[in-house]
Amino acid sequence: MPVTAVVGAQYGDEGKGRIVDFLAEDTDIVIRFQGGDNAGHTVVNQHGEFRLHLVPSGIFHSRVTCLIGAGTVINPAALLRELAELEAAGIDTSRLLLTNRAQMLLPHHRVLDAIEEEARGDHQIGTTSRGIGPAYRQKAARSGVRIGDLMHPEYLRARLELSLSSVNRTLSQFGSDPIEIDSLLAQCSDWADKLVGRIVDPIPLLRQALRNEKKILLEGQLGAMKDLDWGTYPFVTSSNPIAGFAAVGAGLPPQQITNVLGVAKAYQTSVGAGPFPGELTDSVGVRLRDIGREYGATTGRPRRTGWYDAVAVRHAAWLNGMTEIAVTKLDVLDTFREIKLCKAYRLPDGTCIEHVPDTHVLEQVEPVLECWEGWQQDTTSVRTWDNLPEAARCYLERLQELAGVPIRYVSVGAERRAMFKV
Ligand code: GDP
Ligand code: IMO
Ligand code: MG
């Protein structure tokens, strides 16, 4: 390993949290490199079941340092709530650090997310309404405030004055009350008291870690199909969940990333609007949702379901430079007599393509499906490749062939131990 990026190979919710929790056992540092509390990373282990939003999924291992990277947007109120929940469950959170350069996601970003989504009418993105888009927009416009600014109250006031002037103009256009700077500063002062010991410039720590050949995991949020540039724009998030951004978001030189582990479900789900070729709106889709418990870890929304889309995963494999894949939720397919996968897209004129086209074309494609025999056996206690039913091995070998990347891990349950290395 020394540095492995763990990224979503589909539309998010692939099981990145459970994979990071598993791999963190043998890791020194885990860094969340983008996104905010729109993430819902589920971890099930000896401590219980947790839905992490901002805290890296390595937090359950006492020797792991967890860092929230510069590429993220941090809602301090949400983070403090998450920390309180973890601490109430007996988890030591003292090893969680925040990068001073990470953006602050403030209460008005959530207000703006909700009113802007409403204003989109029939063209809604279906955001998580956590304020992600407005926070990244202010970052790009260079009017955001950063977590490190909490340590410098006078500087923070000046930055917030600048930031609020544009925010309040937008709020007034929508008929919403303006944000009062004094009450926001009072909130910031409370957050500063509670977070100050965690805010660091991570570069010295990371330099030292690389010098000492420490193992680092970079934890992505969402998946390639919701990448701001290469996903189903505009039905995407406002950051880049792909490995190219992992170095930027964490604060590492790109060539230090030695492995890129793509996480893919054995089928596919998506939350929110936008094209989703091969979506199953029939009883098969409902069965996948019921068996896979496919409800959003952050918003509780039912996830859209479909068969595994090899075209989308190949797109993700290329964009991420994946060196290996972890296939999760194989057990969800245990009772299916027949399993399908999408190996190409058919355009309205009948032509077949094997790449992901831009959104307006993707909206019109039909999946070209391939049928596989189901194994109809319980795989949840399987812990070696050889003990998998033969039909399951054939199916996985086909996924591997279509992705052009070796499968390194197979997960057959939500619990930490319910997976194995291939
Ligand atoms: P993430 O956002 O990529 O971390 O994924 P989520 O946590 O949002 O969604 C994955 C869901 O599948 C969670 O409920 C996990 O507990 C669950 N899960 C992960 N791996 C497996 C698996 O191999 N089998 C089953 N049955 N559930 C799994
Ligand atoms: P994890 O990390 C699934 C989706 C939303 C919406 C789009 C934009 O758990 O995989 P945003 O709130 O980011 O502006 O929403 O992205 N979305 C997710 N879908 N899992 C997530 O995170 C998601 N984070 C955002 O549903 O379509
Ligand atoms: Mg999730």
Side-chain angles (χ1 to χ4, degrees), residues 12-18 40-42 44 49 265 292-293 297 303 328-332 411-414 418:
D13 302 329
E14 298 90 348
K16 299 172 292 291
R18 76 87 73 243
H41 293 182
T42 312
V44 185
E49 177 164 346
K265 272 179 200 177
R293 294 168 57 201
R303 294 175 180 153
T328 60
K329 306 193 92 161
L330 185 73
D331 55 299
V332 173
S411 169
V412 289

Side-chain angles (χ1 to χ4, degrees), residues 36 43 89 179 212 222 324 404:
V43 172
I179 307 296
N212 295 339
L222 250 180
E324 49 195 8

Side-chain angles (χ1 to χ4, degrees), residues 11-14 16 38-41 125-129 132-133 221-222 226 236-237 271-273 301:
Y11 291 75
D13 302 329
E14 298 90 348
K16 299 172 292 291
N38 50 347
H41 293 182
I125 293 165
T127 74
T128 58
S129 53
I132 304 300
Q221 187 258 327
L222 250 180
K226 297 268 190 173
V236 293
T237 196
V271 191
R301 290 180 288 179

Side-chain angles (χ1 to χ4, degrees), residues 8 11-17 32 34-42 52-53 113 117 120 124-134 136 219-223 226 232 234-239 269-274 296-299 301 303-304:
Y11 291 75
D13 302 329
E14 298 90 348
K16 299 172 292 291
R32 249 295 291 281
Q34 46 71 235
D37 63 315
N38 50 347
H41 293 182
T42 312
L52 299 173
H53 302 290
D113 197 355
E117 184 73 335
R120 288 188 189 107
Q124 290 193 357
I125 293 165
T127 74
T128 58
S129 53
R130 295 298 185 272
I132 304 300
Y136 275 112
E219 179 176 359
Q221 187 258 327
L222 250 180
K226 297 268 190 173
T232 54
F235 305 102
V236 293
T237 196
S238 298
S239 65
T269 63
S270 174
V271 191
T298 294
T299 59
R301 290 180 288 179
R303 294 175 180 153
R304 301 161 72 189

Side-chain angles (χ1 to χ4, degrees), residues 150-206:
L150 285 175
M151 297 191 291
H152 309 286
E154 283 315 308
Y155 181 71
L156 177 66
R157 173 180 280 278
R159 293 290 307 160
L160 272 180
E161 275 168 2
L162 187 75
S163 169
L164 288 183
S165 66
S166 70
V167 167
N168 282 337
R169 260 197 313 278
T170 312
L171 286 173
S172 81
Q173 277 164 15
F174 285 103
S176 291
D177 292 337
I179 307 296
E180 298 287 343
I181 191 158
D182 287 332
S183 65
L184 185 54
L185 279 167
Q187 256 182 327
C188 288
S189 153
D190 180 44
W191 294 331
D193 290 345
K194 291 175 174 148
L195 293 174
V196 69
R198 300 182 186 272
I199 300 173
V200 297
D201 182 330
I203 300 296
L205 170 93
L206 295 176

